Amino acid sequence: MRTLMLTTLATIAPVFLMIATGYGARRLGIMPEGSGALLTRFVTWIALPVLMFHIAATTDWRSVWDADFVVASLLGSVALYAMGMGIGRLRGLPLSDMAVDGLNASYSNTAYLGLPLFLLAIGPISAPYVIIAATVTLMTLFALAVATIELGHHRAQGLWHALAKAGLGVLKNPIVAVSLAGVAWWVTGWTLPSVAERFTHLLGGAASPAALVAIGLFLAERPLAEAINNRFVLALAAAKLVAHPLVTVLIAYGVLGMRGLPAFIVVAIAALPIGTGPFMVAGFYARDGKVTSGAILVTTLLSVLTLSALLAFLPR
């Protein structure tokens, strides 16, 4: 078992080395302050949407669509969203800030970290499942969070106003919108022109390494000591790295009777650290982002060990 875990760790080590490269470049002053935000913008608005479109437009969705995978991913994430909101309630937060903690407990770093990680550890067969999780599950979580925040801000205008704002916010997300456009292209039955195929392949190939370096740059500007001394940061980290995969295991293996690669990947996605989505939502709505950035930092660092263990021992 020790050899298996070391082999798995060696397989995914390049992913975390790219994060470490960004971290070191910022700490050494090679990259200036704010470079993480700029690189993240490149990934979010250019490289990653192109990659998602390429995968969505060229995948045979009839052969990979798995309803149980979608249900397990959704139910596990929504359950942890509720748990995160409970942690926010214990902090004495208003409804709008509780929504951010709900995302902290449930929002996996699927596109930035999961996609390159699983491509290395599992292979290209993992990509369609990641796309499904990054569109269906993250769309649902975004909608829940935005609806909760808007409901907190505009209770007088009612639930339907909040839901309309949530739907608009989700559709404006470039990763979600372009993924849906790629699926729409696939539905037509047309193949991508050779020039478009090469273009999306080459530019999309920049997304994974750039995203990983951007995570390192982002983490370098967050104090670790402050994060690990905050009990709510640790509570959210435990919810994301421990409770989320455990709940998903119970749903996938116990309730739905899933087995094989889909079950393995849905649990592995649940075990990913917190993505930058909660931090961006907190910033957009002017909510306090200190606990959120601390939880992202702690879960990303600890996931080196937790993901290595899970990938080594979970049956596929």
Side-chain angles (χ1 to χ4, degrees):
M1 286 188 177
R2 181 181 177 184
T3 302
L4 180 59
M5 187 168 179
L6 288 175
T7 302
T8 304
L9 182 59
T11 301
I12 67 174
V15 170
F16 292 100
L17 286 175
M18 282 185 269
I19 295 175
T21 299
Y23 185 92
R26 178 67 192 97
R27 285 294 189 180
L28 293 172
I30 298 172
M31 299 293 284
E33 183 178 355
S35 55
L38 289 175
L39 189 55
T40 298
R41 190 171 182 82
F42 163 74
V43 172
T44 302
W45 288 95
I46 300 176
L48 189 56
V50 168
L51 175 63
M52 300 290 258
F53 178 85
H54 177 87
I55 294 173
T58 58
T59 295
D60 182 4
W61 290 103
R62 291 187 188 89
S63 65
V64 299
W65 180 260
D66 189 320
D68 285 345
F69 176 90
V70 174
V71 171
S73 182
L74 282 174
L75 290 182
S77 296
V78 171
L80 264 293
Y81 181 85
M83 182 182 291
M85 287 194 66
I87 293 172
R89 186 175 180 84
L90 290 176
R91 293 173 62 195
L93 298 177
L95 185 63
S96 297
D97 290 295
M98 287 167 57
V100 177
D101 273 0
L103 283 181
N104 284 332
S106 61
Y107 191 99
S108 292
N109 198 342
T110 309
Y112 282 7
L113 182 58
L115 188 59
L117 173 65
F118 299 143
L119 283 173
L120 276 174
I122 302 170
I125 194 172
S126 65
Y129 293 103
V130 175
I131 294 293
I132 292 171
T135 52
V136 179
T137 305
L138 298 190
M139 278 174 59
T140 302
L141 290 175
F142 261 126
L144 273 174
V146 173
T148 305
I149 292 170
E150 293 292 344
L151 191 59
H153 286 169
H154 306 288
R155 290 191 180 187
Q157 285 140 326
L159 178 62
W160 291 112
H161 173 81
L163 291 176
K165 292 278 287 186
L168 186 61
V170 169
L171 292 177
K172 283 183 176 180
N173 183 285
I175 296 171
V176 172
V178 174
S179 296
L180 293 175
V183 173
W185 180 278
W186 172 81
V187 169
T188 66
W190 302 335
T191 58
L192 282 178
S194 59
V195 173
E197 201 281 334
R198 288 196 299 271
F199 166 74
T200 55
H201 176 75
L202 288 171
L203 183 54
S208 293
L212 294 169
V213 172
I215 290 172
L217 293 168
F218 171 82
L219 295 178
E221 296 180 355
R222 270 76 188 167
L224 178 59
E226 181 180 325
I228 62 177
N229 288 321
N230 187 313
R231 61 194 175 102
F232 293 114
V233 167
L234 298 180
L236 289 167
K240 185 67 196 73
L241 295 181
V242 180
H244 195 179
L246 282 178
V247 168
T248 307
V249 163
L250 291 176
I251 294 170
Y253 288 88
V255 177
L256 299 175
M258 294 175 63
R259 295 294 184 270
L261 187 64
F264 175 84
I265 295 179
V266 77
V267 175
I269 288 174
L272 288 168
I274 303 169
T276 56
F279 187 77
M280 290 188 285
V281 168
F284 184 80
Y285 286 98
R287 316 316 304 171
D288 184 10
K290 289 182 179 178
V291 167
T292 296
S293 61
I296 292 171
L297 175 58
V298 170
T299 56
T300 301
L301 293 175
L302 290 180
S303 68
V304 178
L305 299 176
T306 57
L307 280 170
S308 296
L310 185 141
L311 291 173
F313 302 128
L314 192 69
R316 4 185 145 180

